[in-house]
């Protein structure tokens, strides 16, 4: 989630995966894929920078040794999926 500031000064967190459009006319409008629109104080370049930093943090965390150990199967031979047909 990225933090943005609304016109009344309150802070709000947005899911950057839902952002569809960012326009500056002179205010910054963020349109989400569900149709919601938000007017924020930050310029578009700041919002985009926060999105890039958020995504970079996720990729760094996903490529760490902790994530690899978590995703590794201990006994691949004894692995049984939990699904019933």
């Amino acid at each position: 989630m990225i933090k943005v500031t609304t016109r009344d000064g309150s802070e709000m967190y947005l899911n950057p995966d839902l952002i569809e459009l960012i326009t500056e006319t002179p205010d910054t409008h963020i349109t989400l894929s569900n149709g919601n629109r938000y007017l924020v104080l930050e310029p578009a370049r700041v919002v985009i920078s926060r999105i890039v930093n958020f995504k970079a943090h996720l990729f760094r965390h996903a490529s760490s040794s902790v994530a690899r150990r978590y995703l590794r199967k201990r006994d691949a031979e004894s692995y049984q999926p939990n699904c019933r047909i």
Side-chain angles (χ1 to χ4, degrees):
M1 301 288 242
I2 61 166
K3 181 173 72 169
V4 293
T5 309
T6 60
R7 294 282 295 193
D8 64 358
S10 63
E11 295 177 347
M12 175 175 64
Y13 292 87
L14 288 176
N15 183 347
D17 295 329
L18 296 179
I19 295 176
E20 187 172 308
L21 184 65
I22 300 173
T23 57
E24 273 187 330
T25 58
D27 297 324
T28 305
H29 296 268
I30 299 176
T31 305
L32 302 183
S33 60
N34 61 7
N36 292 349
R37 289 186 56 148
Y38 298 100
L39 183 63
V40 298
L41 295 178
E42 291 87 354
R45 62 180 170 74
V46 172
V47 175
I48 292 168
S49 173
R50 289 180 184 172
I51 293 169
V52 169
N53 290 336
F54 175 75
K55 297 281 187 173
H57 172 76
L58 289 180
F59 287 128
R60 277 193 308 271
H61 185 70
S63 65
S64 71
S65 63
V66 174
R68 281 188 290 243
R69 277 185 286 155
Y70 175 75
L71 296 174
R72 184 176 49 209
K73 295 178 187 145
R74 291 188 172 192
D75 300 321
E77 299 82 30
S78 65
Y79 176 72
Q80 303 245 334
N82 190 13
C83 63
R84 296 184 178 114
I85 299 177

